[in-house]
Amino acid sequence: MVLGGATATSDLDVTVLRAEGEQVFRESMVFAGWPVELFVHTPTSVRRYVAKDLARRSPSMARLVAAGVPLLDGDAGAELQAECRAILEAGPPALTDDELALERYGLTDLLDDLADAEPGPILTATAVATWRVTAELALALAGAWRGSGKWLARELVALDVRTGGDLAPTLDDALKAAVVGDVAPLTRLADAVLDRVGGRLWDGYRAEAPPTTDERKGPMAVSLREITDANAEAVAALSVSEAQQRFVSSVTESLEEAEEHPQDKPWFRAVYADERPVGFVMLSWDVEPRPPEIHGPWFLWKLLIDERHQGHGYGRDAVRLVADLVRDQGGRELLTSHVVGDGGPAGFYARLGFEPTGETDPDGEVILRLAL
């Protein structure tokens, strides 16, 4: 409706911004006869989903926030909206060499299937997939965003508006012809896009699967590395599941806390498994204890392992590396704290040898101690 394309079946997408720490969820409902989609977020969760969308070049969250019209007075959310608009304006990251090769290979494979398909459900499915992959590759080569469903078509139309081209209607006509048996127009369009990056790719294409723990002689090597311009975006995109968000703040929020509390002497690193960032850790480094606000001198302030990389022992290894560092500095104990609740990290820390000190911090978190 806000974008001016409302139909009889259009729903209202309403983004609700809540305070940090509150529940994030999505809910569909009918209100006053209108179908409504509620997207309930905190500033941190918005930024997390924007980062995830950026990686797949389909900015669903950024679009939702950037195009929204405030329903309440005040400037709450204005900063987030400005961030999302800037991201949309900047455009997606370019395809890497490996990603480009994979897309060329995938489209080549589809064109082979398209050439042999007889009219019917298999041809229809293959034609639709060829249309989609051709559109996605064309958008990527133009530095444009992608989308799914109608948003992919909208991005094609927007590209035509910017360039004065006619890719959207030409692809549409080619798809209509293909599903009734004339695949030549769609094939020509796909080949035209492929020719811009070296043409079809099949013979000689090779993609190596990333090695897993089971495929190695031993587990992946875990290390702690500085956060630099080169890895900051990838580290900021790391996140836990929604169910775990009440127990640990995001990387972005943690770094903001570090900036706001220099008296706590924050020291932070990215957790790497071989050459892949999988988590984040932050300590109070040799700080003067001033309980109940500041515990130390060595306090494990934050520990986050991305939800996709949990269950491999990376958190355990990260804590052991931290303990070794503290021990090397002459520390005799490592302190930490945790939120009490089902699904929390109490069992994780207990298995590592942490024991309750009998204290809690001002937020009610239980203080734990690991003897070194």
Side-chain angles (χ1 to χ4, degrees), residues 45-68:
S45 69
V46 168
R47 292 185 174 101
R48 183 174 65 254
Y49 280 102
V50 166
K52 286 186 175 181
D53 289 346
L54 186 64
R56 60 189 183 93
R57 301 177 180 86
S58 182
S60 303
M61 178 58 71
R63 286 194 194 110
L64 191 66
V65 175

Side-chain angles (χ1 to χ4, degrees), residues 162-185:
R162 291 196 299 274
T163 63
D166 60 354
L167 182 60
T170 305
L171 265 175
D172 186 47
D173 290 341
L175 176 59
K176 291 174 182 175
V179 296
V180 295
D182 181 8
V183 301

Side-chain angles (χ1 to χ4, degrees), residues 264-267 282-287 295 297-301:
D264 293 352
K265 299 180 68 174
W267 178 96
M282 187 162 79
L283 281 71
S284 284
W285 186 269
D286 200 13
V287 68
H295 293 267
W298 308 96
F299 186 85
L300 179 56
W301 193 351

Side-chain angles (χ1 to χ4, degrees), residues 7-353:
T7 68
T9 59
S10 294
D11 57 14
L12 294 174
D13 292 337
V14 180
T15 305
V16 179
L17 196 61
R18 308 179 79 180
E20 297 290 3
E22 295 195 41
Q23 182 64 50
V24 173
F25 63 94
R26 173 179 179 171
E27 183 175 347
S28 301
M29 63 178 64
V30 176
F31 179 79
W34 279 95
V36 178
E37 289 261 30
L38 284 180
F39 300 88
V40 181
H41 282 277
T42 66
T44 295
S45 69
V46 168
R47 292 185 174 101
R48 183 174 65 254
Y49 280 102
V50 166
K52 286 186 175 181
D53 289 346
L54 186 64
R56 60 189 183 93
R57 301 177 180 86
S58 182
S60 303
M61 178 58 71
R63 286 194 194 110
L64 191 66
V65 175
V69 175
L71 300 179
L72 300 176
D73 294 333
D75 60 357
E79 181 180 351
L80 270 179
Q81 191 167 52
E83 289 179 21
C84 289
R85 287 173 177 169
I87 288 170
L88 291 179
E89 181 66 25
L95 293 173
T96 66
D97 290 344
D98 287 346
E99 289 171 332
L100 180 57
L102 177 60
E103 299 215 1
R104 289 174 60 198
Y105 168 78
L107 186 50
T108 299
D109 198 44
L110 283 169
L111 288 171
D112 289 343
D113 291 341
L114 190 68
D116 296 332
E118 297 291 335
I122 292 178
L123 173 59
T124 300
T126 306
V128 169
T130 304
W131 173 90
R132 177 181 58 79
V133 176
T134 300
E136 290 178 342
L137 181 55
L139 288 167
L141 296 180
W145 292 105
R146 298 177 174 181
S148 59
K150 63 186 178 184
W151 274 106
L152 182 56
R154 285 174 175 171
E155 291 294 350
L156 288 172
V157 171
L159 178 62
D160 284 345
V161 170
R162 291 196 299 274
T163 63
D166 60 354
L167 182 60
T170 305
L171 265 175
D172 186 47
D173 290 341
L175 176 59
K176 291 174 182 175
V179 296
V180 295
D182 181 8
V183 301
L186 185 56
T187 300
R188 285 195 298 270
L189 278 173
D191 275 326
V193 174
L194 284 168
D195 286 344
R196 295 169 55 190
V197 287
R200 298 192 187 193
L201 176 62
W202 194 89
D203 186 22
Y205 174 73
R206 177 186 175 96
E208 295 185 359
T212 65
T213 301
D214 293 338
E215 295 169 340
R216 293 169 172 262
K217 293 180 179 178
M220 289 188 178
V222 174
S223 59
L224 306 180
R225 303 188 188 182
E226 290 188 17
I227 299 175
T228 66
D229 290 342
N231 66 4
E233 186 175 293
V235 175
L238 300 171
S239 63
V240 297
S241 68
E242 289 188 8
Q244 294 172 324
Q245 290 171 16
R246 61 183 291 246
F247 299 109
V248 61
S249 53
S250 70
V251 174
T252 299
E253 187 178 14
S254 297
L255 293 175
E256 290 173 351
E257 285 186 54
E259 192 171 321
E260 293 168 1
H261 301 282
Q263 71 277 10
D264 293 352
K265 299 180 68 174
W267 178 96
F268 47 83
R269 291 291 186 272
V271 179
Y272 270 71
D274 282 353
E275 296 304 312
R276 175 182 298 179
V278 298
F280 172 84
V281 65
M282 187 162 79
L283 281 71
S284 284
W285 186 269
D286 200 13
V287 68
E288 180 181 351
R290 294 192 298 276
E293 287 77 22
I294 299 177
H295 293 267
W298 308 96
F299 186 85
L300 179 56
W301 193 351
K302 306 286 183 180
L303 176 63
L304 177 152
I305 300 298
D306 185 88
E307 61 178 317
R308 298 165 297 176
H309 303 296
Q310 294 179 13
H312 300 288
Y314 301 148
R316 174 201 63 209
D317 290 349
V319 173
R320 288 174 177 170
L321 287 173
V322 166
D324 289 343
L325 288 171
V326 172
R327 190 181 293 110
D328 290 344
Q329 295 294 317
R332 304 296 299 273
E333 64 178 13
L334 176 64
L335 300 177
T336 192
S337 66
H338 71 85
V339 176
V340 177
D342 292 339
F348 166 79
Y349 285 120
R351 288 190 294 273
L352 290 175

